[in-house]
Amino acid sequence: MHHPVRAALWVLAYLLIALAPLALSLIQLDPGRGFWVNLSVAAGFVGLSLMGLQFVIAARSVHVTGLFGPDVLLRVHRQITALIAVLIFAHPIILFVWDARFLALLNPFTSPPRAKFAVASVVLLSILIITSVWRRRLKIPYQTWQVLHSVLAVLVVVTGVAHVLLIGYYVSEPWERALWVVYSAVFIWIGLWVRVIRPLSRWRRRWRVVHVRPQPLGSHTVRLEPVSSDSYGRQGFSFSAGQYAWIQTGRNPFSINYHPFSFSSSAENPQSVEFTIKTEHGFTARVGELEPGAIVYLDGPWGQLTMDDNEGPGFVFIAAGVGVTPMLSMLTTMADRGDHRPCWLILGNRNESEVICSAEVNQLNERMANLTVVQTISQPGTNWNGRAGRISRELLDEVLPENRARMQYFMCAAGPVMDTAQSALVELGVPVARIHSERFAMA
Ligand SMILES: Cc1cc2nc3c(=O)[nH]c(=O)nc-3n(C[C@H](O)[C@H](O)[C@H](O)COP(=O)(O)OP(=O)(O)OC[C@H]3O[C@@H](n4cnc5c(N)ncnc54)[C@H](O)[C@@H]3O)c2cc1C
């Protein structure tokens, strides 16, 4: 964390906003309602304000994401959702246990609108959690889930606020009304910012496809150049090697169909950037259809897998499959800078015909005298006479230098490969603080 004071201030502001509605339940409640009702109301209020704050975390603002990193925010987003579920479910359960007459509010035919909104909010929250935790098992395509997730999240908050307003008990004083107005305004502002203002700023900074070159297994490397500049006349943006950007294609930047990809080109040439994209099923399967001249919108740069923030006497890059992309960016940047520090690229692939960017790796090997490339193939064909097997502790022990503990390590691969490499490195004496990794999965 580069700005601990700013980060602490954000956390403080977060806690203040999350807990502010507690004042409503603590100050205003009529003493006759008793401890259990107060506790239930407090749980509901904090759950609702935490739910609203999830939009701040998910909005990918440079201020927040840049400070904490997207991985940390994603973890926090998930953990806070668990806390929200506990609080929001506790709210009615406490009431039901305290006084069984509250159970009558569950009858949709006789319950007042305020109770109907409460039930709707809890049901929607349950659907939101189930469809997120079991998205893959339920076979919900990512794109559909993304839309569903946003719509459900907005509906949970709107129905929750409607429930509070209809109870009316917490909007009688002017300061209470002011609090709700401020909360609603912030909520609407975040929505406008994410869906209108930020896309508009992307519109002013469009990129054009220069060429698309095929890679193995139907994957592609796409080269882009900026076509327009922002109001300050700036074209494109600078990035640190190892970072990534969200890519969106199409006629306008308002679509929510954007995907994260690591830059695979040199950070020394931000006016001409490359991404290497492995074919999955949706967006990635259509990348090969991009024609030169097609317009692309980029949102970034993001990510903290960078050498610039992690200086060392040498670098070890460990990647499997398409995880090679951020490593290529870091190595090409070193080559362009004339950085002669020793580095190792340890690459794992299933089959020798599946090696993405092998031509680029070979070029780097020729350009960089201090680069050692170690390729290993886990299921080699009969013609492969190189190293066979997975990236393992034995392999790392064999190829890493004596002063391995002083190197900086960057890893990007599927989960199991990263877990093996991480524990192997720690066993080999590498401090955890020198191991940096990126996972190509967010949901
Ligand atoms: C930080 C980061 C950097 C990445 N860099 C690269 C790279 O350099 N090259 C590369 O080939 N891939 C990269 N990926 C993976 C890439 O984003 C996904 O493979 C791609 O979004 C899949 O799109 P699709 O429509 O073809 O997916 P589908 O086939 O529909 O889904 C495949 C899986 O990809 C994930 N996914 C799909 N859409 C998104 C999205 N909008 N946001 C987040 N995850 C999504 C989901 O887990 C989904 O289950 C990166 C991912 C992350 C998080």
Side-chain angles (χ1 to χ4, degrees):
M1 195 154 306
H2 307 293
H3 302 284
V5 176
R6 267 169 55 202
L9 288 175
W10 271 101
V11 172
L12 190 67
Y14 182 91
L15 289 176
L16 280 177
I17 297 170
L19 299 178
L22 266 185
L24 290 169
S25 55
L26 295 178
I27 298 171
Q28 273 302 309
L29 275 189
D30 151 4
R33 295 181 86 180
F35 171 77
W36 291 108
V37 176
N38 282 2
L39 183 69
S40 155
V41 170
F45 273 138
V46 176
L48 188 57
S49 58
L50 284 176
M51 188 68 204
L53 281 166
Q54 291 286 58
F55 288 82
V56 179
I57 295 179
R60 296 209 314 269
S61 120
V62 187
H63 305 294
V64 183
T65 313
L67 270 182
F68 299 96
D71 289 0
V72 173
L73 287 184
L74 189 66
R75 268 204 308 276
V76 169
H77 181 69
R78 287 181 185 148
Q79 285 161 359
I80 288 180
T81 307
L83 179 61
I84 292 171
V86 170
L87 292 167
I88 295 289
F89 285 109
H91 171 53
I93 289 172
I94 294 172
L95 290 181
F96 299 153
V97 173
W98 179 70
D99 187 341
R101 278 174 300 176
F102 278 108
L103 281 167
L105 293 174
L106 290 179
N107 184 342
F109 301 106
T110 55
S111 65
R114 62 176 193 276
K116 289 195 176 79
F117 276 113
V119 172
S121 192
V122 173
V123 170
L124 290 163
L125 178 66
S126 311
I127 300 174
L128 184 145
I129 293 171
I130 291 167
T131 50
S132 300
V133 175
W134 290 289
R135 176 182 74 81
R136 286 169 202 265
R137 208 173 289 173
L138 293 169
K139 298 200 179 1
I140 304 175
Y142 187 86
Q143 221 64 67
T144 314
W145 172 81
Q146 218 179 7
V147 177
L148 187 73
H149 196 68
S150 312
V151 172
L152 284 172
V154 171
L155 288 178
V156 170
V157 175
V158 170
T159 47
V161 172
H163 165 65
V164 175
L165 296 181
L166 285 171
I167 289 178
Y169 195 77
Y170 309 99
V171 284
S172 51
E173 300 290 327
W175 72 268
E176 289 172 335
R177 280 198 290 276
L179 190 67
W180 286 109
V181 167
V182 170
Y183 268 61
S184 307
V186 170
F187 187 61
I188 292 167
W189 166 251
I190 294 172
L192 276 176
W193 188 75
V194 171
R195 294 278 166 253
V196 182
I197 298 170
R198 215 173 49 186
L200 272 177
S201 74
R202 285 200 288 269
W203 200 327
R204 287 204 305 268
R205 295 171 83 173
R206 294 185 297 279
W207 296 68
R208 174 180 47 218
V209 174
V210 179
H211 67 77
V212 179
R213 52 174 202 279
Q215 293 281 357
L217 295 177
S219 304
H220 296 89
T221 295
V222 184
R223 177 177 285 268
L224 306 174
E225 283 176 5
V227 275
S228 56
S229 49
D230 66 10
S231 42
Y232 302 101
R234 289 179 307 209
Q235 278 204 317
F237 49 68
S238 55
F239 65 94
S240 291
Q243 287 192 298
Y244 67 93
W246 294 80
I247 297 189
Q248 188 193 344
T249 54
R251 257 177 260 147
N252 66 66
F254 295 102
S255 137
I256 66 159
N257 189 356
Y258 35 69
H259 298 259
F261 296 101
S262 300
F263 293 92
S264 55
S265 57
S266 169
E268 292 294 294
N269 187 8
Q271 297 298 312
S272 175
V273 299
E274 284 191 352
F275 296 92
T276 298
I277 299 179
K278 183 183 165 195
T279 302
E280 296 287 344
H281 302 105
F283 170 81
T284 52
R286 297 187 299 276
V287 166
E289 295 162 18
L290 285 172
E291 296 282 347
I295 294 296
V296 170
Y297 302 94
L298 293 189
D299 182 346
W302 301 105
Q304 287 165 324
L305 188 81
T306 70
M307 300 175 307
D308 298 350
D309 292 340
N310 302 290
E311 284 295 346
F315 302 99
V316 179
F317 304 97
I318 302 173
V322 74
V324 71
T325 53
M327 315 306 168
L328 281 179
S329 177
M330 289 191 263
L331 284 164
T332 315
T333 304
M334 285 181 80
D336 287 353
R337 286 179 184 164
D339 188 331
H340 297 302
R341 280 176 287 183
C343 33
W344 287 257
L345 173 62
I346 301 167
L347 259 188
N349 276 283
R350 193 178 309 152
N351 191 283
E352 61 270 32
S353 62
E354 292 182 7
V355 182
I356 292 180
C357 295
S358 57
E360 288 79 354
V361 170
N362 290 339
Q363 278 167 17
L364 278 168
N365 213 358
E366 280 165 23
R367 275 183 81 190
M368 300 178 75
N370 288 339
L371 170 65
T372 308
V373 177
V374 180
Q375 290 243 33
T376 182
I377 299 290
S378 62
Q379 294 171 18
T382 44
N383 292 333
W384 174 252
N385 45 26
R387 196 182 280 270
R390 292 172 186 277
I391 297 174
S392 63
R393 182 188 190 282
E394 292 66 38
L395 182 146
L396 292 171
D397 196 15
E398 182 193 326
V399 301
L400 292 180
E402 284 292 306
N403 62 345
R404 56 188 60 166
R406 297 185 54 225
M407 301 288 143
Q408 291 282 3
Y409 293 77
F410 299 93
M411 303 198 300
C412 185
V417 181
M418 294 237 276
D419 296 342
T420 309
Q422 165 100 18
S423 36
L425 289 175
V426 173
E427 282 174 31
L428 293 171
V430 176
V432 177
R434 290 189 203 273
I435 308 174
H436 318 280
S437 60
E438 183 89 271
R439 283 176 201 259
F440 278 3
M442 284 194 179

